[in-house]
Amino acid sequence: MPRNRFQDIMQHLRFDDRSTRSDRAKTDKFAAISSVWGSFVTNCITCYNPGLHITVDEQLFPSKTRCCFLQYIASKPDKFGIKFWVACDLKSKYICNVLPYLGKDPNRPSGERLSENVVMRLMEPFLDKGRNVTTDNFFTSLSLAQKLLRLKTTILGTVNKIRREIPQSARYKDRNEFTTQVFSTSAATLTAYAAKRKKTVYILSSMHSVVQTDNTTKRKPNTVTLYNTTKCGVDVMDQMVREYTVRRGTRRWPVAVFYNMIDMAALNAHVLYQACTGTQERRVDFLVELARELANSHMAGKKARKEQLPQTQPSTPSPGKRATCQVKHKCKNNHATVRCVHCYRYTCGKCKLQIPWQCQDCE
């Protein structure tokens, strides 16, 4: 593709009807790309059946575009970006569901926490199937565990020590190292594990009725061991997406979201390809072949249009008359008297191939 054509496409790239955007933006901050984004999320949900464990976490897509929902997170390497809530399959790292964070949602019930609302919306297509969802301390709460348990879904995650559901007897800091304290209710089990003397980790689980410790020196409970195994789904997915990305600098936030959507779609396509064919292929090789196949239709159409052009030999210059070389593959402004037998452009001696007389571009 020529550079000027690529720049022209990027300049006029739109994902909606610009004439009606202002009306839709009054109720939807994501109106500039919501239609395409909704189709992508629907395909992600319907095309794959996730496993037993699903991880829910946030993803910050790096961007400094001007939009009302741009986030600043000091703990992230890129600081600024567009935040997405992601539900990811633990084993395959397939992106099951994803939601953009657009600020305060007027449709959210007044008494419901943002964290609970996000988890319930992400897990809505996968409830009543006996799955487990792993979350961090931003999402985990006892009320969320009770809601999920009524829908045949368990939760496992760390709990912030300032949560109301943490009993007062479990909040003291001076614990002996590698000690475990367990609190249980009818819906969930709370494990307080002292990894260090003054550092206690709280794990809330609705899938463990009995907490057991291993026989190692650290005497880790099985809730902590399982959480360490299942917590990394979204983080590994984000790392895989950034390894081979199409992201480029842009000042338009819909294009930045489109870049992230392409990266996610490419990762999901690789997972689906391996699941359907039963073959293991490196992701970089799959992406190269995918790019070639996506370009084949355009190249075939371009070739067909070229073949439909009238193949008539134009007149050659009269004796003694010369024209400037139209190929300029190896020359600058050489003169030519012979045309290429395929494209009929004037071709000098430097830009020709062997007999029959052809230009370098028609090789």
Side-chain angles (χ1 to χ4, degrees), residues 41-208:
V41 174
T42 302
N43 290 338
C44 290
I45 295 173
T46 57
C47 291
Y48 188 78
N49 187 23
L52 178 63
H53 295 279
I54 295 178
T55 306
V56 172
D57 206 347
E58 66 181 15
Q59 179 210 24
L60 186 71
F61 183 75
S63 177
K64 288 190 177 181
T65 56
R66 295 181 61 182
C67 63
C68 59
F69 46 84
L70 189 72
Q71 293 289 300
Y72 171 77
I73 303 179
S75 60
K76 298 290 184 179
D78 297 296
K79 310 297 183 185
F80 291 92
I82 301 174
K83 186 162 70 173
F84 296 90
W85 309 112
V86 184
C88 180
D89 181 51
L90 174 66
K91 184 177 180 180
S92 63
K93 307 305 180 291
Y94 181 89
I95 300 165
C96 302
N97 200 355
V98 56
L99 297 171
Y101 176 68
L102 306 177
K104 186 177 181 180
D105 186 7
N107 299 325
R108 180 165 57 92
S110 58
E112 187 177 26
R113 292 175 178 171
L114 172 63
S115 56
E116 295 182 10
N117 180 264
V118 168
V119 175
M120 296 302 294
R121 289 174 61 189
L122 289 174
M123 291 297 297
E124 183 179 2
F126 314 106
L127 298 174
D128 296 317
K129 300 294 179 60
R131 292 188 174 93
N132 176 69
V133 54
T134 303
T135 58
D136 59 10
N137 57 10
F138 175 78
F139 301 97
T140 312
S141 65
L142 183 60
S143 58
L144 177 61
Q146 294 171 346
K147 287 182 180 180
L148 291 174
L149 196 60
R150 287 194 292 267
L151 298 172
K152 299 179 182 179
T153 305
T154 58
I155 189 173
L156 176 67
T158 55
V159 186
N160 198 327
K161 61 183 179 181
I162 64 174
R163 293 280 191 186
R164 296 179 180 177
E165 46 262 35
I166 302 294
Q168 291 293 335
S169 58
R171 295 193 178 188
Y172 64 91
K173 299 180 180 180
D174 194 7
R175 296 174 178 269
N176 293 329
E177 197 174 21
F178 308 139
T179 58
T180 303
Q181 191 176 7
V182 180
F183 304 87
S184 62
T185 64
S186 58
T189 301
L190 178 68
T191 305
Y193 173 68
K196 296 180 181 179
R197 184 179 176 184
K198 293 187 177 182
K199 183 178 180 181
T200 304
V201 179
Y202 299 96
I203 303 290
L204 183 69
S205 173
S206 60
M207 65 181 301
H208 294 86

Side-chain angles (χ1 to χ4, degrees), residues 8 51 64 85 97 104 106 110 147 167-168 182 205 218 221 228 255 258 261 288 295 310 340 348 355:
D8 188 59
K64 288 190 177 181
W85 309 112
N97 200 355
K104 186 177 181 180
S110 58
K147 287 182 180 180
Q168 291 293 335
V182 180
S205 173
K218 295 185 177 181
N228 292 337
V255 178
F258 182 64
M261 185 172 64
V288 171
C340 174
C348 68
I355 302 298

